[in-house]
């Protein structure tokens, strides 16, 4: 049985028609746009279904789930890209990856819930529904991350569009039903609606992998299979955490250190700005995958990816800047008045974020993890500290502090990126 699992998938994967890097990048961006769009619609419904405090607590819970997800992945998604790119059997790699993230997601989710009960008892929920949906959301989120990067490695990143669209629609339908039944839904119920979308996306992704490479999930906990993935994945994971942690940690800190209402007003602006930031982030993943497959063309791949990051991301950023007020007004007057300027400032940070993503992708390909992680920790800490320092003055002051720090970091990193690419080009020639 083991031999069969090792032989069949490579044959199947060799028949998978790879899409071009550009097509895969654009497809993945469209998929995340669908996820973000349905996510924004979810928060619109939530804002009209209950009180600001409950929305704020839900945003804190969602941020906590995403933090657990980022930690639980342990870099297995990046390790899958490297392993499949080197020709290893996809089924064997994915079995090990799913085994790792399934256990890690469960442990981290339960650990967070227990910790929250002792550290923040005033805002912690002890309901069985909340604990169950929190754990399911964390595990499903880690699975979706691995699915995304496995399909990028197979050159089919655009297949994510279907699963994120259907998952988002499932979540929206549940939230609309709650909003229709009664006003004043608890954070526990909203969290259950949000989790439903993650679970549906995960299930559809598993079906897609089976159709592409004949893969049937059989997660394994065999240490010999986990060790190579973790050795590749953990450095990538630490770097990814420096990219994502500031945006995920800040709503959680705001809800517990300032007030749930401040978190409620900040989160929609950040979430919509992230829609623009998603373009360089996802194109950076494809850039990483192509860099592993063809390291001699690293400079060309980097500049091509950077240009497309700016083109696609800037379109989204311009839309957000122009329509910031009407978009936030969909959540209510309070959100529009509190966060319109913040959204415009955050969207204007697109260029800086694209520079950071290009730098991190190059560091992943070249194995310069220590350098990139140190830079990411310093920058991420500065972003959170500056935003918290400005929190008492409102979302606009927070966004301004965030953007100033982001651009200062991008200038420093951009100069370093140019030096690395010049050296890599000389070595390749």
């Amino acid at each position: 049985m083991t031999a069969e699992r090792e032989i069949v998938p490579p044959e199947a994967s060799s028949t998978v028609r790879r899409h071009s890097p550009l097509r895969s990048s654009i497809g993945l961006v469209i998929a995340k746009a669908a996820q973000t769009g349905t996510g924004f619609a979810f928060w619109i419904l939530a804002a009209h279904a209950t009180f600001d405090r409950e929305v704020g607590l839900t945003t804190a819970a969602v941020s906590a789930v995403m933090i657990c997800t980022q930690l639980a992945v342990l870099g297995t998604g990046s390790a899958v890209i490297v392993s499949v790119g080197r020709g290893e059997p996809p089924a064997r790699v994915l079995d090990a990856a799913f085994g790792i993230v399934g256990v890690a997601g469960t442990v981290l989710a339960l650990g967070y819930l227990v910790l929250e009960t002792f550290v923040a008892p005033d805002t912690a929920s002890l309901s069985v529904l909340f604990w169950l949906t929190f754990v399911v959301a964390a595990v499903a989120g880690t699975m979706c991350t691995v699915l995304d990067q496995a399909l990028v490695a197979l050159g089919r990143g655009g297949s994510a569009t279907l699963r994120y669209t259907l998952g988002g629609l499932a979540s929206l339908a549940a939230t609309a039903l709650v909003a229709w039944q009664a006003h004043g839904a608890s954070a526990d119920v909203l969290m259950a609606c949000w989790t439903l979308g993650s679970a549906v996306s995960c299930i559809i992704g598993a079906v897609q992998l089976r159709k592409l490479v004949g893969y049937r999930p059989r997660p394994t906990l065999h240490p010999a299979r986990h060790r190579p993935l973790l050795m590749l994945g953990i450095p990538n994971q630490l770097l990814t955490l420096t990219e994502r942690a500031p945006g995920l940690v800040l709503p959680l800190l705001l809800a517990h250190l300032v007030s749930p209402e401040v978190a409620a007003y900040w989160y929609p602006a950040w979430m919509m700005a992230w829609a623009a930031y998603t373009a360089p982030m996802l194109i950076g993943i494809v850039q990483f995958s192509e860099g592993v497959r063809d390291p001699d063309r690293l400079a060309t791949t980097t500049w091509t990816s950077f240009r497309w990051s700016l083109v696609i991301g800037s379109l989204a950023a311009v839309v957000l800047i122009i329509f910031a007020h009407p978009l936030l007004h969909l959540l209510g007057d309070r959100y529009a008045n509190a966060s319109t300027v913040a959204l415009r400032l955050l969207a204007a940070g697109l260029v800086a974020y694209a520079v950071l993503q290009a730098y991190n992708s190059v560091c992943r390909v070249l194995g310069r993890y220590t350098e990139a992680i140190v830079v990411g920790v310093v920058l991420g800490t500065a972003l959170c500290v500056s935003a918290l320092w400005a929190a008492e003055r409102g979302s606009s002051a927070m966004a301004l502090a965030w953007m100033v720090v982001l651009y200062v970091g991008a200038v420093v990193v951009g100069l370093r990126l140019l030096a690395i690419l010049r050296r890599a080009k000389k070595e390749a020639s």
Side-chain angles (χ1 to χ4, degrees), residues 197-209:
S198 297
V200 170
S201 298
C202 186
I203 293 169
I204 294 174
V207 173
Q208 290 175 323
L209 265 182

Side-chain angles (χ1 to χ4, degrees), residues 172-190:
L172 281 178
T175 311
L177 180 62
V178 169
W180 176 62
Q181 288 294 323
H183 183 78
S186 67
D188 300 4
V189 174
L190 293 178

